[in-house]
Amino acid sequence: MKSPRPHRPRTIRAPHSTPRTSLTCPVRSSASTQALFEVARAIDEGQDGHVLRRFWSAFIRRFGTNLATGAIFLAFYGLIGFDMW
């Protein structure tokens, strides 16, 4: 009797897709998205008490860094836009 084939997840690729390079546009996640994932990880680990308090503290902890990073990206994109104008 044959043994069943192991399950392999199918990879779905867009037609004519090219692999990403290091020159792609950087993607930034906001402080709220990062806080959401921190709370989701905590819930997955079984620590689901005080969800809103945990979200708010994670949001406040990451807000300054994300604001500074956003300002840097905005200045960078502003320079590129001004140069192309």
Side-chain angles (χ1 to χ4, degrees):
M1 179 178 236
K2 290 183 178 180
S3 62
R5 292 187 347 201
H7 173 70
R8 287 187 218 154
R10 254 179 62 181
T11 304
I12 300 173
R13 296 187 66 170
H16 309 294
S17 65
T18 58
R20 294 191 181 263
T21 63
S22 61
L23 298 175
T24 58
C25 179
V27 176
R28 237 178 30 87
S29 63
S30 64
S32 60
T33 305
Q34 292 174 1
L36 170 74
F37 280 109
E38 182 176 322
V39 171
R41 187 180 327 117
I43 290 172
D44 187 45
E45 293 172 352
Q47 305 167 354
D48 50 354
H50 305 289
V51 172
L52 291 176
R53 185 179 301 161
R54 186 183 309 259
F55 176 82
W56 187 250
S57 66
F59 177 77
I60 295 298
R61 185 172 53 248
R62 288 174 168 81
F63 185 76
T65 306
N66 280 292
L67 185 65
T69 309
I72 290 170
F73 277 125
L74 185 63
F76 180 70
Y77 291 139
L79 280 171
I80 290 175
F82 184 74
D83 189 41
M84 295 180 101
W85 182 39

